[in-house]
């Protein structure tokens, strides 16, 4: 049983589609093991996306992620990382397959509705960033 992290980003929270996105996970066999709505601080966003700190889009990414609340969740299931990435669709919503979260709810490559861990190793790190073990059931 794999676990992965999902973040419903400020653009999707603002649109009021959190429930629709969480339903996609559950309908497709991913169990929500933990979830929380929160406002990231600048320090939180900078730490979480530190791997991108040298890239030109880092400042804009941080500003976007602190522009409103997010919903962070631990998703659990068989092949959870891959399944979540398939459900999300391509980073650029214009390239995302019909019926994916980004095709249905994202506005642009920057405001792309959701984040999902890209590997089991990163999922573990990302989950530990937001949740203690006792919060995951």
């Amino acid at each position: 049983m794999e676990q992965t992290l999902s973040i419903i980003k400020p653009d999707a929270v603002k649109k009021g589609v959190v429930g629709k996105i969480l339903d996609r996970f559950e309908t497709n066999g991913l169990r929500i093991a933990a979830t929380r709505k929160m406002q990231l601080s600048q320090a939180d966003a900078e730490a979480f996306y530190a791997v991108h700190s040298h890239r030109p889009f880092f400042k804009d990414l941080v500003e976007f992620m602190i522009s409103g609340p997010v919903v962070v969740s631990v998703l659990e299931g068989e092949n959870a990382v891959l399944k979540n990435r398939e459900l999300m669709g391509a980073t650029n919503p214009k390239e995302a397959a019909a019926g994916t979260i980004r095709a249905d709810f994202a506005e642009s490559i920057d405001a792309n509705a959701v984040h999902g861990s890209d590997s089991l190793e990163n999922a573990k790190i990302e989950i530990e960033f937001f949740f203690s073990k006792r919060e995951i059931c």
Side-chain angles (χ1 to χ4, degrees):
M1 193 69 67
E2 288 182 6
Q3 291 182 333
T4 190
L5 185 84
S6 169
I7 302 176
I8 301 175
K9 294 181 179 182
D11 58 314
V13 174
K14 185 177 180 181
K15 283 182 183 175
V17 295
V18 171
K20 291 177 181 180
I21 293 172
L22 292 176
D23 181 62
R24 295 261 180 115
F25 299 143
E26 290 186 316
T27 300
N28 287 281
L30 293 172
R31 190 177 74 79
I32 299 167
T35 195
R36 139 181 336 126
K37 185 176 185 180
M38 64 187 300
Q39 176 70 49
L40 295 177
S41 68
Q42 183 161 343
D44 291 335
E46 287 175 350
F48 185 77
Y49 288 107
V51 68
H52 299 301
S53 63
H54 64 286
R55 297 204 169 141
F57 61 82
F58 178 72
K59 183 178 180 230
D60 290 338
L61 174 61
V62 169
E63 285 184 23
F64 170 65
M65 291 302 292
I66 66 173
S67 69
V70 297
V71 175
V72 293
S73 302
V74 177
L75 306 177
E76 191 173 77
E78 282 189 43
N79 300 311
V81 172
L82 180 60
K83 185 171 282 190
N84 183 37
R85 295 195 66 77
E86 289 173 353
L87 292 171
M88 288 189 309
T91 303
N92 183 345
K94 292 177 182 164
E95 298 171 1
T100 62
I101 293 168
R102 288 180 172 143
D104 291 345
F105 304 118
E107 298 170 16
S108 68
I109 197 164
D110 298 317
N112 63 9
V114 286
H115 162 90
S117 304
D118 63 1
S119 68
L120 280 173
E121 297 76 25
N122 284 337
K124 183 177 183 332
I125 293 165
E126 292 178 353
I127 290 167
E128 290 174 357
F129 185 90
F130 287 106
F131 295 96
S132 68
K133 286 190 189 276
R134 73 173 190 268
E135 294 175 296
I136 302 169
C137 9

